[in-house]
Amino acid sequence: MQTRTTSDGLMRAKIYDSRTHRGYDDLRRALANPRLIWLLAFRDIQARYRRSMLGPFWITISMTGTVLGMSFVFSTIMNRGYDDYVPYLAVGMALWAMISGIVAEGANSLIQAAAMVKYTTQPLATHMLRHQLHQLIFFAHNIVPGLVLCLLLGKTGLAGIAASLAGLLLTFVAVSSLGFFAALVSVRFRDIPQIATNLMQVFFFLTPIIWPLAAIGDRTYVLDYNPFYSMVTIVREPLLGIWPPAHAWFIVGGVAVLGWLAVAVIYERIFDRLSKWV
Amino acid sequence: MSGASIEIVDATVDMQVFTARTVSLKNALGRALTGGRVSQGDGVPTVRALDGINLTIEAGERVALIGHNGAGKSTLLRLMAGIYRPTTGHVRVAGSIGAMLDTQLGMDPDFTGRENALLMAAALGLSRAESRAIIPGVIEFCGLGTFMDLPVRTYSSGMLARLAFGVHTAVSQDVMLVDEVIGAGDAAFHDKVQGRLADFMQKAQIMVLASHSDGVLERYCNRGIVMSAGTIVQDAPLKDALDFYHWWIAEAAKLAAAANSQDESA
């Protein structure tokens, strides 16, 4: 039983050299073991709903409740029909839960994994990636009511869903870089998780999630400088039967590229000190 | 593969000690804004955990790390494992590294022994099928029986150690780093460990073990490194290293006693 027949040459880094193996190597090792990332993310979800009968479906139920309650109030205030407003809100809320979860809770992902960071040889990036995947699984439960509504109301078809999925993928990659970045900085400066939480709260109100786009009038600068608006747009709009403008894609793509570049530079640079800071 | 080795050259490890004061952004900003002028006294205190370590370990060696608490044994193990990085100097390890530095090893107390074992196996890079395959052997080895399907928060520290040890010895590594974990088992466990360890050792080419128990060290090791205050003070065959350590402790105790009685008479 002591066989070590794993096919993953990568996991068994044959050489470790402190002079050359830093952030890049860590990230490479983390990505070489996706099964561990998946199991940890799954365990995080499981741990939360342990011994409950409905398990993770509570996520779906609570999102449905939130959306119904808010729809009742806000569709009246905003003077909008349920047909348009409820799916708009349901998709937007699910999406925002993922975005803010990845950034704000993500800031704590490395701090929370302190025991594994200090006592095991597991790559550190595993913990950031695990948290991001956890949020994606969460989203898959949260989006159900919105998706069902959009389909029932005939707002979208296969093309819309495909476009939305592509948008989701890009948004996930982009926002994950922000979460990864926040996690790195938070290890050293423990105020960052608080700042990130508050910042995301502000952006929640600055982004058209509960209020319709038209409500902003001509003060569109609120949207022009808000990358989260573009993220929400490229995922939500296709599901509502609207084609998002091309520049929204470019903005999110830009965040993804710049974000991961920044992460790469910083991760490699501060890697030597990370485990001591945790 | 042949020729596993550990090479540590001129390594020091500095640990910055953060308090709420130094960790927060406000203070960092404050320092930046005041140009470090006002805040001369509140730079981050640094502890040198390891100092001037030069060490080469070749395939076939079983190294004991000896020293009192705080001597730097655990830090040295973490340095070899790549968990701590040297502040100066460098570390180079050829061969796959296995580390048992803690009995928890990322286990979740609310999950069962089986679930945690499967997760640890995944962390070691095993596939789903391979992970499943090692479980019967692990159960047999740790003698946990039906406890295997209970949450590990119901386990004693010895049981946790057995589980961690069982999973980690199911996968052979070239370099094995062990901190105290073995000391947590009872006598029956040790007899079992020795059987499995002998097996395991034939595959592991290097083992480094930190323990306070001479018995444990004598059982498994052939080379002894005595540490004190983050430096290596003796590096010799195990017997000599242990003798030196005990002589050294006795001398230190005598000196302390002498100083004490001088204080009293004065």
Side-chain angles (χ1 to χ4, degrees):
Chain A
M1 58 180 296
Q2 266 87 352
T3 50
R4 179 65 206 225
T5 49
T6 42
S7 47
D8 55 319
L10 287 170
M11 265 310 290
R12 302 187 70 186
K14 289 291 191 188
I15 300 280
Y16 156 64
D17 193 318
S18 64
R19 287 164 296 187
T20 48
H21 294 187
R22 290 196 174 85
Y24 300 142
D25 182 65
D26 182 88
L27 201 53
R28 184 181 60 76
R29 280 170 57 222
L31 290 170
N33 194 354
R35 213 173 79 81
L36 179 65
I37 298 174
W38 163 255
L39 283 177
L40 285 169
F42 192 71
R43 187 176 80 167
D44 292 339
I45 298 258
Q46 239 187 339
R48 204 153 149 183
Y49 295 97
R50 203 123 247 243
R51 292 162 67 186
S52 93
M53 272 197 301
L54 294 176
F57 286 103
W58 275 115
I59 304 168
T60 310
I61 294 168
S62 79
M63 180 51 76
T64 309
T66 308
V67 167
L68 285 181
M70 288 178 72
S71 300
F72 180 73
V73 175
F74 286 104
S75 66
T76 312
I77 295 177
M78 312 277 179
N79 199 14
R80 304 242 314 185
Y82 283 118
D83 275 17
D84 282 334
Y85 188 68
V86 183
Y88 178 85
L89 184 67
V91 175
M93 289 290 287
L95 198 55
W96 190 259
M98 181 187 87
I99 291 173
S100 91
I102 288 178
V103 178
E105 291 172 38
N108 276 314
S109 52
L110 199 52
I111 297 172
Q112 275 165 357
M116 279 185 87
V117 169
K118 288 219 177 269
Y119 292 106
T120 74
T121 54
Q122 290 314 309
L124 308 189
T126 298
H127 303 295
M128 277 75 100
L129 300 174
R130 143 207 194 175
H131 179 264
Q132 288 150 13
L133 185 61
H134 167 162
Q135 292 294 336
L136 194 61
I137 300 172
F138 219 77
F139 175 76
H141 288 85
N142 269 333
I143 193 62
V144 172
L147 197 57
V148 168
L149 270 177
C150 289
L151 288 171
L152 280 183
L153 295 171
K155 293 204 175 289
T156 188
L158 265 176
I161 291 181
S164 176
L165 260 180
L168 175 68
L169 190 70
L170 188 60
T171 296
F172 179 71
V173 171
V175 83
S176 289
S177 73
L178 304 181
F180 201 112
F181 189 86
L184 294 182
V185 187
S186 298
V187 177
R188 175 65 182 79
F189 300 106
R190 299 296 168 100
D191 293 304
I192 298 289
Q194 307 302 329
I195 294 173
T197 306
N198 286 299
L199 213 57
M200 291 314 283
Q201 190 67 44
V202 171
F203 271 110
F204 173 68
F205 291 114
L206 289 181
T207 309
I209 307 279
I210 52 175
W211 46 270
L213 204 49
I216 199 81
D218 56 358
R219 293 152 81 180
T220 50
Y221 55 85
V222 171
L223 307 176
D224 294 341
Y225 297 101
N226 178 357
F228 297 111
Y229 164 61
S230 297
M231 295 182 191
V232 169
T233 301
I234 61 172
V235 185
R236 181 182 58 193
E237 271 30 359
L239 288 181
L240 301 174
I242 305 161
W243 284 99
H247 68 82
W249 278 88
F250 285 118
I251 291 175
V252 183
V255 172
V257 171
L258 290 179
W260 281 107
L261 273 178
V263 165
V265 170
I266 295 212
Y267 200 38
E268 182 74 4
R269 218 184 143 82
I270 68 172
F271 188 78
D272 282 356
R273 283 165 286 173
L274 276 178
S275 65
K276 295 174 190 166
W277 283 342
V278 171
Chain B
M1 77 170 247
S2 64
S5 68
I6 300 175
E7 177 193 82
I8 304 178
V9 180
D10 287 330
T12 59
V13 173
D14 286 342
M15 305 283 297
Q16 289 173 302
V17 184
F18 294 111
T19 59
R21 253 168 76 81
T22 48
V23 129
S24 80
L25 191 65
K26 189 180 74 188
N27 286 290
L29 282 176
R31 273 199 299 277
L33 293 176
T34 54
R37 207 158 25 87
V38 183
S39 49
Q40 275 178 351
D42 65 13
V44 182
T46 302
V47 172
R48 181 147 289 190
L50 289 177
D51 196 2
I53 302 288
N54 282 287
L55 183 61
T56 305
I57 301 175
E58 302 288 351
E61 291 192 287
R62 308 282 176 254
V63 181
L65 297 184
I66 307 163
H68 51 78
N69 289 327
K73 305 189 295 293
S74 300
T75 311
L76 183 55
L77 282 172
R78 287 186 191 170
L79 182 70
M80 292 172 179
I83 295 172
Y84 285 162
R85 327 271 304 176
T87 308
T88 61
H90 73 265
V91 178
R92 187 175 185 282
V93 179
S96 63
I97 304 172
M100 282 192 281
L101 306 182
D102 175 60
T103 54
Q104 308 284 329
L105 289 168
M107 283 195 247
D108 188 310
D110 283 333
F111 285 78
T112 68
R114 186 184 304 273
E115 287 167 331
N116 276 302
L118 287 170
L119 192 82
M120 280 190 280
L124 293 171
L126 297 194
S127 72
R128 197 178 151 88
E130 288 164 337
S131 306
R132 297 244 157 116
I134 67 163
I135 293 294
V138 170
I139 295 179
E140 198 253 23
F141 166 74
C142 37
L144 285 170
T146 51
F147 266 94
M148 200 63 182
D149 290 304
L150 288 181
V152 299
R153 70 180 132 82
T154 62
Y155 289 21
S156 69
S157 57
M159 289 160 79
L160 272 179
R162 288 192 221 179
L163 184 61
F165 197 81
V167 175
H168 280 76
T169 51
V171 179
S172 63
Q173 307 282 6
D174 301 326
V175 176
M176 210 52 222
L177 309 170
V178 184
D179 193 357
E180 290 288 358
V181 176
I182 294 182
D186 53 23
F189 176 64
H190 270 278
D191 290 338
K192 230 171 182 176
V193 167
Q194 194 154 42
R196 181 138 170 162
L197 204 62
D199 220 35
F200 184 64
M201 291 288 245
Q202 298 196 317
K203 285 162 181 127
Q205 300 179 37
I206 291 177
M207 181 166 88
V208 184
L209 171 62
S211 172
H212 289 289
S213 156
D214 286 7
V216 167
L217 293 177
E218 276 162 358
R219 216 162 171 173
Y220 303 115
C221 302
N222 54 25
R223 174 178 169 189
I225 289 175
V226 182
M227 299 191 67
S228 176
T231 58
I232 294 175
V233 292
Q234 175 73 295
D235 181 354
L238 181 71
K239 176 104 186 36
D240 300 341
L242 281 175
D243 286 347
F244 169 80
Y245 180 60
H246 291 302
W247 167 82
W248 193 47
I249 286 186
E251 286 298 307
K254 266 187 233 162
L255 280 176
N260 257 341
S261 61
Q262 239 173 23
D263 277 355
E264 274 161 31
S265 61

